[in-house]
Amino acid sequence: MTQVKHFLDLDQIDPDELKSILKKAHALKAQKYNPPQLFAGLSLAMVFDKLSTRTRVSFDVAMKQLGGHTVVMSKGEMQIGGAESIESTANVLSRFVDGVMVRISEHNKLLELAEYSGVPVINGMTDKSHPCQIMADVMTIEEKLGSAEGKKIAWLGDYNNVSQSYIDASKVFGFEFVIALPEDLNGNVPDGVSFTNDAKEAVKDADVLVTDTWVSMGQEGKDIEKFWPYQVNADLMSLAHKDAIFMHCLPIHEWEEVSEEVAKGPQSVIYDEAENRLHAQKAILAWCLEDAGVSVSQKSFNFGNK
Ligand code: CP
Ligand code: NVA
């Protein structure tokens, strides 16, 4: 029996496979008005224990545009979290669907679900990481700047799940990643990762400025005063490379981590980035579902080189 291809974290997947997933994503974007029916007859369960707009809609539309089906289950609508164990839930879902996309706070629960699942499990974000988002981000950087390799990406604000997946991606796609964050958070940055408490130093000559909310879901009520020097505003943007782009996974907390001027300005690519969730995830799904009896069309579909 072939091994189930879970998409859990970028450092768990062969770098060449990740690069080939992004090539497929570009090819599928080029065919967005004529999508190949790769997932005919296949179903994806989507489990959420947190809010979502982009992840939910992009996975739903990705499956449906490529001929598949989805079942969405939010917290409070299913037995998981109640009396039923993750092991039992994984076993049962595996008998119904061909893949499971999960947004769950505790990363260990994602791993447990994958351990007992007979079908691919995709990380739709945990408190530790958000790999699907960063696949879309790297795709966007490739579109806008040609390649991510050798570029300088400056992350401003909080060290969190999204920044952790950027760290993983920097090793795969060969970009420089530097974090600028308040001093009392230095200890959160993993060993070996470049960081500074000086936002201006971080953004100097950067090709990409990226940030995320200072208050991730589950951290409501947190004091944000210390983050103001890390707000991405026009002053900070002016210190970056003149062709630098601004990225944000969204949702933005208006106007805390980024000024309105930057978010809506000419260097901002936030809505292309959001759209690319759809295309990147089609390619992630195709990779995961490759051995799941995917329609013959996938075998003959030419993903092209880019
Ligand atoms: N960026 C992102 O994952 O957005 P949602 O929380 O809306 O899914
Ligand atoms: N860091 C944010 C990302 C939301 C997409 C959170 O975890 O809430």
Side-chain angles (χ1 to χ4, degrees), residues 5 60 93 127 136 159 202 207 252 273 299:
K5 285 156 80 180
D60 200 10
L93 286 178
D127 289 347
Y159 164 80
D207 301 287
I252 284 172
E273 180 185 357
K299 310 276 183 218

Side-chain angles (χ1 to χ4, degrees), residues 203-252:
V203 304
K204 191 170 180 295
D205 299 325
D207 301 287
V208 179
L209 267 56
V210 57
T211 189
D212 183 16
T213 179
W214 298 332
V215 188
S216 286
M217 285 183 269
Q219 301 179 344
E220 291 76 12
K222 178 178 177 183
D223 182 8
I224 60 166
E225 280 312 304
K226 65 186 175 192
F227 290 108
W228 287 110
Y230 305 91
Q231 185 198 52
V232 182
N233 52 35
D235 283 348
L236 219 49
M237 205 74 210
S238 71
L239 300 174
H241 189 283
K242 69 174 175 40
D243 297 322
I245 55 174
F246 169 71
M247 301 184 71
H248 191 306
C249 66
L250 309 181
I252 284 172

Side-chain angles (χ1 to χ4, degrees), residues 51-55 103 130 133 217 249-250 277:
L51 302 177
S52 171
T53 297
R54 280 143 290 271
T55 304
R103 170 166 288 190
H130 198 358
Q133 177 68 52
M217 285 183 269
C249 66
L250 309 181
R277 293 292 303 276

